[in-house]
Amino acid sequence: SGKEIFVVQFKTKGKLKKDSYEGIEVFRVPFRLWFIYFIYLLLKLKPDIIHCEHVSGLVPAFIPAKILRTPIVFQAHSFWTAETMLQGKGKGRLFYIFKYGERVFAKRCDFVLTFSEAMKQYFIDMGANPGKIKIIYPGVNLDLFGNPKIAEHISGVKNDDRVVMYTGNFEPWQGIDLLLGCLLYTSPSPRDLSTSRMPS
């Protein structure tokens, strides 16, 4: 697209490290340097916008972004507190930093990107401006993949059958249970679909 991009990974441990991924500069910043080094990067590289994917990017980046008046966009792609609890990781120091940081910072971002109506409502209830929240529904534009070739014959699958494919892992928050419920039993009711794994 012709846009210059650099990536910052906020780590909990380790040393400050700079490397690259597919030609993109990547700065891996340990916890003790989160604030000061990110300020340094913003002053040096002068980005036009900061895009934070996940709350672990939002919380360290928010205050430096506001100090230097750099627009900040938060992409919330999951109910991360529920994921953390499902993983059994407990509630350590960073959990609470991120949890309360999200409540303070998300509603003050220049824009919030979500993947569902339930997630949008979560941030509205938090106090975010609905006009600054955009839903990007997960999906695939098959036109981007060219003309698909005819698949090889699969035993038991007829030419007019519809085939549903799932890409991802089998963690509970990925929604694979809903897909299997649709395929093996019956379509979930609207009430079932509205039951989200939201954080308390």
Side-chain angles (χ1 to χ4, degrees), residues 78-148:
S78 68
F79 292 113
W80 69 272
T81 55
E83 290 183 9
T84 301
M85 299 308 296
L86 285 168
Q87 288 175 313
K89 290 186 176 180
K91 297 183 178 181
R93 177 180 58 175
L94 280 179
F95 176 88
Y96 287 105
I97 290 175
F98 291 155
K99 180 178 179 179
Y100 294 109
E102 180 184 55
R103 290 196 168 274
V104 173
F105 299 150
K107 60 187 176 185
R108 293 175 171 84
C109 286
D110 296 278
F111 226 81
V112 177
L113 305 178
T114 69
F115 287 170
S116 68
E117 293 284 352
M119 193 174 291
K120 177 179 179 179
Q121 189 60 49
Y122 171 69
F123 288 104
I124 291 174
D125 293 343
M126 190 182 292
N129 181 347
K132 293 185 176 182
I133 304 175
K134 177 70 174 179
I135 300 176
I136 302 177
Y137 294 101
V140 176
N141 182 354
L142 297 179
D143 293 337
L144 297 177
F145 293 88
N147 297 321

Side-chain angles (χ1 to χ4, degrees), residues 151-165:
E152 294 184 8
H153 176 73
I154 302 174
S155 177
V157 178
K158 299 184 291 294
N159 289 337
D160 57 348
D161 286 344
R162 291 189 176 186
V163 179
V164 177
M165 299 183 67

